[in-house]
Amino acid sequence: MKSNRFYLVSLMAILLIFTAATAYAGNKRIMSIRAAKVLAERALVESMYGLKLRASESVEDMVAANFTDSTESKTKAHLIGVEYEEVVYDAEQDIAQVTASVQMGNITNVDGVDIDLGNKVFRRVAFATSTPEMAGPLKALRAAEIDAYKEIIKKVVGFELETHTKVENFMLKSDVVKTKVMATIFLVELNEYGWTDDGDAFVKMQLNLREASDLLGENIVTDQEIIEVEGMGAQVNDFGQAGAQ
């Protein structure tokens, strides 16, 4: 009888210890880390296979009017051998950071061009969260990333600019400037990223034109060997708020 009672007491104690240990074990950490891995994989695909980007900018009467970037990426890329070199999770903010890398040989990029990457190692970092309220800085970072892609395209491929100015009686009546970008960019590498004291995000990227020329087997005409750009992204739409007043 004592033996049975001792067994029941011991079993209850074990169950209580197990319950206490797992009471706070949820899925936020797992979800955030998995999401960061997926975004890091996307970043690898964009670097290797390429990213199709359309962008337009307009300034009307010396006032910023519209800056729109839209991406169209064919992400049907087959990835194998991706390694997650670093996984960091901030439990207080519920933000995961993942650094992923992959070594690639022959691929067919988003434009259908066969490229031998020569077993080059690509490495990208990504952040994610499972808490919507914490996503602001991460969204700003993605916006900065797209802006950096656009700036590289403008430097390497170029852009269209259209302007219309009207003057009457020596006074400016209207002045409109529009730029358009539509191209595919790939083989871009991430140099640096972060956030300013105001919360705006920045991303610094570069494209090694000599390396890209060798991989593509064609000469990219430019007076620079390496193109470096910085993209910016914001968390708060105070421009929209000002326009609504």
Side-chain angles (χ1 to χ4, degrees), residues 213-225:
S213 296
D214 292 341
L215 291 173
L216 292 172
E218 58 184 65
N219 185 35
I220 301 176
V221 181
T222 179
D223 58 351
Q224 293 179 273
E225 181 177 334

Side-chain angles (χ1 to χ4, degrees), residues 48-191:
M48 296 180 299
Y49 289 84
L51 174 76
K52 288 183 177 291
L53 187 142
R54 294 194 191 99
S56 63
E57 303 171 329
S58 63
V59 179
E60 299 179 9
D61 299 334
M62 311 304 167
V63 178
N66 186 41
F67 288 75
T68 302
D69 299 329
S70 61
T71 62
E72 181 183 290
S73 179
K74 298 177 182 178
T75 55
K76 285 188 177 180
H78 181 70
L79 282 182
I80 187 170
V82 176
E83 296 184 3
Y84 307 104
E85 300 178 355
E86 185 179 25
V87 177
V88 179
Y89 179 68
D90 185 334
E92 184 176 346
Q93 299 189 69
D94 182 32
I95 292 178
Q97 174 186 340
V98 170
T99 302
S101 66
V102 67
Q103 188 176 42
M104 297 297 290
N106 292 300
I107 68 166
T108 301
N109 76 354
V110 294
D111 286 335
V113 178
D114 294 328
I115 304 173
D116 183 2
L117 295 175
N119 293 322
K120 176 181 172 63
V121 176
F122 289 81
R123 183 173 289 102
R124 293 297 297 268
V125 63
F127 297 84
T129 180
S130 58
T131 304
E133 292 78 13
M134 302 305 298
L138 313 187
K139 291 180 179 180
L141 192 67
R142 176 58 174 171
E145 189 176 39
I146 296 299
D147 187 47
Y149 280 125
K150 178 189 66 182
E151 290 303 309
I152 285 186
I153 289 175
K154 290 177 72 173
K155 286 194 172 186
V156 177
V157 181
F159 58 95
E160 293 183 7
L161 186 145
E162 180 181 344
T163 179
H164 299 278
T165 302
K166 186 176 181 180
V167 176
E168 289 183 5
N169 299 327
F170 306 101
M171 294 186 65
L172 182 71
K173 290 298 182 180
S174 65
D175 187 69
V176 178
V177 181
K178 295 181 179 180
T179 66
K180 292 182 180 179
V181 169
M182 185 172 66
T184 301
I185 190 70
F186 53 96
L187 302 178
V188 176
E189 298 183 47
L190 178 69
N191 277 355

Side-chain angles (χ1 to χ4, degrees), residues 2-3 7 17 37-38 95 118 121 132 140-141 157 183 207 211 225:
K2 286 185 178 180
S3 177
Y7 172 77
I17 293 173
K37 286 183 176 180
V38 170
I95 292 178
V121 176
L141 192 67
V157 181
L207 175 62
E211 183 182 53
E225 181 177 334

